[in-house]
């Protein structure tokens, strides 16, 4: 091998690689008895499934993660994080339901998440839940109802310097009302 250069094969990431890694992480967390870690790993697997448009699988993951949180008692490690984790999972559960066309259920989950985030003063997640609600209403062909939610989310996320989300919301707003003049 002296004098010859070895080159590595080009890196080729596949979503299945990440899914396998997340499934392995969930298995390891379950084996180790790390309930919070298990819920997080299953949630992340659900987010991956959502990105793959595998809506039923994503919903099942979020549902499982939500159930895993039931195993955390009031005095257990991570107990203080459970209410926020449940609110995030409520939000996440609504997203695949929208993809499945189950808009009433999706809206119910998004509204629960929104109420929790508002009650806890979480501006960023409040705006993300408002975005979800606007997307659901737009899918239900209710652009007039989606518009004020989009505007609220833009105001909040602008203050949070979440530029990528604001740009997305501006495009969403155009779908609600046409371009701004």
């Amino acid at each position: 091998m002296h004098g010859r250069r070895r080159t590595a094969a080009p890196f080729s990431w596949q979503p299945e690689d990440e899914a396998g890694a997340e499934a392995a992480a969930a298995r390891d967390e379950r084996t180790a008895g790390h309930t919070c870690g298990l819920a997080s790993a299953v949630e992340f697997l659900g987010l991956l499934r959502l990105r793959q448009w595998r809506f039923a699988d994503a919903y099942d993951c979020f549902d499982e993660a939500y159930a895993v949180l039931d195993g955390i008692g009031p005095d257990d490690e991570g107990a203080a994080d459970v209410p926020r984790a449940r609110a995030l999972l409520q939000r996440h559960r609504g997203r695949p339901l929208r993809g499945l066309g189950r808009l009433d259920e999706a809206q119910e989950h998004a509204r629960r998440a929104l109420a929790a985030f508002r009650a806890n003063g979480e501006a960023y997640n409040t705006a993300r839940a408002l975005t979800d609600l606007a997307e659901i209403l737009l899918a239900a062909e209710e652009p007039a109802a989606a518009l004020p939610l989009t505007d609220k989310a833009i105001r909040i996320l602008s203050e949070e310097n979440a530029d990528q989300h604001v740009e997305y919301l501006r495009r969403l707003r155009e779908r609600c009302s046409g371009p701004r003049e």
Side-chain angles (χ1 to χ4, degrees), residues 34-141:
H34 297 152
T35 309
C36 287
L38 174 59
S40 293
V42 174
E43 174 191 16
F44 191 81
L45 186 57
L47 291 170
L48 175 63
R49 296 292 181 240
L50 189 61
R51 261 193 328 225
Q52 296 170 330
W53 292 22
R54 294 173 55 185
F55 300 123
D57 292 337
Y59 185 83
D60 290 344
C61 288
F62 299 141
D63 217 31
E64 180 182 345
Y66 199 89
V68 167
L69 294 175
D70 289 338
I72 300 173
D75 298 324
D76 292 345
E77 181 181 348
D81 298 326
V82 170
R84 182 173 187 273
R86 286 194 189 283
L88 286 167
L89 287 166
Q90 283 290 354
R91 177 177 171 249
H92 293 331
R93 287 161 115 183
R95 296 167 66 202
L97 288 171
R98 178 174 54 91
L100 292 167
R102 295 164 52 185
L103 301 180
D104 289 341
E105 293 171 80
Q107 193 171 51
E108 184 179 319
H109 284 289
R111 288 193 187 285
R112 283 189 211 138
L114 178 60
F117 294 136
R118 280 183 168 158
N120 291 323
E122 287 194 49
Y124 175 83
N125 282 317
T126 293
R128 299 294 285 144
L130 286 167
T131 302
D132 292 343
L133 279 171
E135 290 170 332
I136 293 163
L137 290 168
L138 202 53
E141 299 181 10

Side-chain angles (χ1 to χ4, degrees), residues 137-155:
L137 290 168
L138 202 53
E141 299 181 10
E142 298 180 38
L147 184 60
L149 302 177
T150 304
D151 287 339
K152 284 181 193 175
I154 288 172
R155 279 194 302 278

